[in-house]
Amino acid sequence: KLPDIVLGGPRGGGKLAPSGHVLSLGRGGRITLEFVDNEVVDEDGPDLLVFENAFLERPGNDPKLGFFELAKIELSSDGIEWHEIPYDTGTRKGCAGHHPVLANVEDNDIDPTDPEKAGGDPFDLKDAGLKVARFIRITDINNGAGDKGTSGFDLDAVAAVHSRPRKAK
């Protein structure tokens, strides 16, 4: 199903349910994606959203209680030199995979580039010391075990909140 399963908008299951439209990276797995037609640019607030299939325990009113498989995020402007977003697995700050995905391009009208409404995990290029990024590398950090023995970060989608068309060479 690659690359289609990770390209396009998220298909979130909401606050209390996972998405079934994901690529499992597996324990310690990694994926590198390139923005081909556009590039992410650093502006005020989050510049990028990463969508996993995290969900909360019922009744869904405590963001600390849920099913989370975390990943670290690295960004690059050229695909050669990488810059890691600082992260802490204890607080989940800087990690992907701990906010439920609310946007679903098939089932609702939530804009997947709206950090206030889309869900997913927000990232700011300035935290990686970058002004522009064309590549994102997502690596599972071995923190969770799923239902039926599965484990690993489950990528749904990535969205550029702030971007511009790539310059022709």
Side-chain angles (χ1 to χ4, degrees):
K1 296 183 180 181
L2 281 173
D4 294 340
I5 200 157
V6 297
L7 300 179
R11 294 186 176 107
K15 198 171 14 172
L16 299 173
S19 167
H21 187 268
V22 296
L23 170 70
S24 180
L25 299 185
R27 203 162 189 83
R30 134 181 11 182
I31 189 169
T32 302
L33 302 171
E34 177 183 9
F35 288 90
V36 177
D37 300 325
N38 63 331
E39 55 193 10
V40 183
V41 294
D42 182 32
E43 293 185 13
D44 289 338
D47 303 306
L48 186 69
L49 292 172
V50 176
F51 300 100
E52 205 255 1
N53 68 346
F55 57 95
L56 301 178
E57 291 179 11
R58 292 189 184 281
N61 57 0
D62 188 342
K64 292 179 253 151
L65 299 176
F67 180 72
F68 314 115
E69 293 173 316
L70 305 178
K72 70 177 183 175
I73 301 298
E74 297 168 278
L75 302 170
S76 175
S77 60
D78 59 10
I80 298 167
E81 185 178 336
W82 291 91
H83 302 263
E84 185 176 281
I85 300 280
Y87 68 94
D88 178 334
T89 57
T91 63
R92 296 189 217 118
K93 182 173 172 36
C95 294
H98 65 99
H99 289 107
V101 180
L102 307 177
N104 186 315
V105 295
E106 293 180 342
D107 293 339
N108 64 44
D109 293 328
I110 298 172
D111 180 353
T113 65
D114 183 339
E116 299 295 319
K117 297 179 182 171
D121 299 291
F123 295 93
D124 194 324
L125 265 60
K126 76 176 177 187
D127 292 336
L130 292 173
K131 295 282 186 197
V132 175
R134 283 186 29 228
F135 298 87
I136 179 170
R137 185 161 56 198
I138 303 167
T139 305
D140 175 77
I141 51 179
N142 295 316
N143 76 302
D147 186 31
K148 301 178 186 138
T150 62
S151 66
F153 185 87
D154 300 312
L155 180 62
D156 184 350
V158 175
V161 175
H162 300 125
S163 70
R164 66 182 178 213
R166 291 221 10 231
K167 296 176 185 170
K169 300 242 178 198

